[in-house]
Amino acid sequence: MTDNVSAEQLRLLIERIERLEEEKRGIGDDIKDVYAEAKGTGFDPKIMRAIIRLRKMEKHQLDEQDALLETYRQALGMA
Amino acid sequence: MTDNVSAEQLRLLIERIERLEEEKRGIGDDIKDVYAEAKGTGFDPKIMRAIIRLRKMEKHQLDEQDALLETYRQALGMA
Amino acid sequence: MTDNVSAEQLRLLIERIERLEEEKRGIGDDIKDVYAEAKGTGFDPKIMRAIIRLRKMEKHQLDEQDALLETYRQALGMA
Amino acid sequence: MTDNVSAEQLRLLIERIERLEEEKRGIGDDIKDVYAEAKGTGFDPKIMRAIIRLRKMEKHQLDEQDALLETYRQALGMA
């Protein structure tokens, strides 16, 4: 840093990122807490994660994926 | 490094790791090639990956996961 | 789901997780924006990330890591 | 799978991928073993990983990164 202005600018940018990362970690912890609460109530976190992935898909994508997975499972004797 | 012996020892260890990492990358490329070949033949790599994950499970685990996933999907209107 | 109560409970848990994940993605985007802003001002994002990692360390850990890295680099002719 | 030919083709592709993944895991284990051996001899695996990353860089890239890191550290009072 050749001058104090840009040194100060760098410090401010880095502190903003550190605050945002702290917030992000906090939300990550909140998510873990919800999964822990769900597990305590008897739900299966692994299956919940699978459900959340499936819910991100469009209806026609999900149908297509279901059909293909079924076909491949039958082909490999896993139906 | 206070002496030449341990400097040489460190170099040898690092070179062994680098060679192994190179080999590992090569196999990673081979895996990508098989998926590309499969895609070229009309198979769906994403579903193939899902199948490979399922094949790692014991029969009773897979049955249990299938049942739970089905139950959760029905609960959320995704059946 | 054998009854409507737990189906509803599962839906609420999943919706809470989805909202939290949405928030987390938003903060991840904010972080990317700050890095982009920093890059636009002439700072190097890769070095900023390294700095943020180093700032998480205690002073004595950082000193020790600096010393060790210097020693290993000399041993390998990278000083 | 509408016919036995493509079912068999899918099985062969999947088995090839599974064998390659097995090999890749084996090499990953070998890498862990070398790090464990290095640690047993008194070397620091974390610093070794840093060294391996630096060795992948061109001389001029490494020089530039060293200079920039030094400048940023000074700007933030971490020199």
Side-chain angles (χ1 to χ4, degrees):
Chain A
M1 235 36 52
T2 46
D3 56 67
N4 295 332
V5 177
S6 54
E8 183 57 20
Q9 206 177 3
L10 177 62
R11 174 187 302 278
L12 291 173
L13 286 162
I14 282 190
E15 286 173 358
R16 271 169 65 198
I17 293 169
E18 285 174 339
R19 275 192 301 272
L20 287 166
E21 282 185 350
E22 182 63 38
E23 260 185 80
K24 199 176 152 202
R25 262 191 303 276
I27 296 178
D29 289 341
D30 291 346
I31 293 173
K32 275 186 209 140
D33 288 345
V34 182
Y35 276 116
E37 182 189 327
K39 196 177 180 179
T41 323
F43 294 109
D44 184 316
K46 190 186 161 196
I47 308 293
M48 289 176 69
R49 286 180 203 277
I51 290 288
I52 287 172
R53 273 196 303 277
L54 298 180
R55 274 166 62 98
K56 288 197 186 109
M57 300 172 74
E58 303 275 347
K59 174 84 174 72
H60 73 273
Q61 287 179 304
L62 180 55
D63 288 349
E64 197 188 318
Q65 178 176 304
D66 281 344
L68 223 48
L69 194 54
E70 187 53 30
T71 305
Y72 285 21
R73 285 180 68 155
Q74 277 176 7
L76 291 155
M78 308 165 72
Chain B
M1 234 40 47
T2 46
D3 57 68
N4 295 332
V5 177
S6 53
E8 183 56 20
Q9 205 177 3
L10 177 63
R11 174 187 302 278
L12 290 174
L13 287 162
I14 283 190
E15 287 173 357
R16 268 169 66 198
I17 293 168
E18 286 174 338
R19 274 191 301 271
L20 287 165
E21 282 185 349
E22 182 62 38
E23 258 186 82
K24 200 177 151 202
R25 263 191 303 278
I27 296 178
D29 290 341
D30 290 346
I31 293 173
K32 274 186 210 138
D33 288 346
V34 182
Y35 276 116
E37 181 188 328
K39 196 177 181 181
T41 323
F43 294 109
D44 185 315
K46 190 187 161 195
I47 308 293
M48 288 175 71
R49 286 180 203 277
I51 289 289
I52 287 172
R53 274 196 302 278
L54 299 180
R55 274 166 63 98
K56 288 195 186 110
M57 301 172 73
E58 302 276 346
K59 174 83 176 73
H60 73 273
Q61 287 179 304
L62 180 55
D63 288 348
E64 197 188 317
Q65 177 176 304
D66 281 344
L68 224 48
L69 194 55
E70 187 53 30
T71 305
Y72 286 20
R73 285 180 68 155
Q74 277 175 7
L76 291 155
M78 306 166 73
Chain C
M1 235 37 52
T2 44
D3 56 68
N4 295 332
V5 177
S6 54
E8 183 56 18
Q9 206 177 3
L10 176 63
R11 174 187 303 277
L12 290 173
L13 288 162
I14 282 188
E15 286 173 357
R16 271 170 66 198
I17 293 168
E18 286 173 339
R19 274 191 301 271
L20 288 166
E21 282 185 349
E22 182 63 38
E23 259 185 80
K24 200 176 152 203
R25 262 191 303 276
I27 296 178
D29 290 342
D30 291 346
I31 293 173
K32 275 186 210 140
D33 288 346
V34 182
Y35 277 116
E37 183 189 327
K39 196 177 181 181
T41 323
F43 294 109
D44 184 316
K46 190 187 164 194
I47 308 293
M48 289 175 68
R49 285 179 204 278
I51 290 289
I52 288 173
R53 274 197 301 277
L54 299 180
R55 275 165 61 99
K56 288 196 187 109
M57 300 171 75
E58 303 276 347
K59 173 84 174 74
H60 73 274
Q61 287 180 304
L62 180 54
D63 289 348
E64 196 188 317
Q65 178 177 302
D66 281 345
L68 223 49
L69 195 54
E70 187 53 30
T71 305
Y72 286 20
R73 285 180 68 156
Q74 276 174 7
L76 291 155
M78 308 166 70
Chain D
M1 234 36 52
T2 44
D3 55 69
N4 294 333
V5 177
S6 52
E8 183 56 20
Q9 206 176 3
L10 177 62
R11 173 186 304 276
L12 291 174
L13 287 162
I14 283 188
E15 287 174 356
R16 270 170 65 199
I17 293 168
E18 286 174 339
R19 274 192 301 270
L20 287 166
E21 283 185 348
E22 183 63 37
E23 259 186 80
K24 199 176 151 202
R25 263 191 303 277
I27 295 178
D29 290 341
D30 291 345
I31 292 172
K32 275 185 209 139
D33 289 345
V34 181
Y35 277 116
E37 182 189 328
K39 196 177 180 180
T41 323
F43 294 109
D44 184 315
K46 191 188 161 194
I47 308 293
M48 289 175 69
R49 285 179 204 277
I51 290 289
I52 287 172
R53 272 196 303 277
L54 299 181
R55 274 164 63 99
K56 288 196 186 110
M57 301 171 74
E58 303 276 347
K59 174 83 175 74
H60 73 275
Q61 286 179 305
L62 180 54
D63 289 347
E64 196 188 317
Q65 177 176 302
D66 281 344
L68 223 48
L69 195 54
E70 187 53 31
T71 305
Y72 286 21
R73 286 180 67 156
Q74 277 176 6
L76 291 155
M78 309 166 71

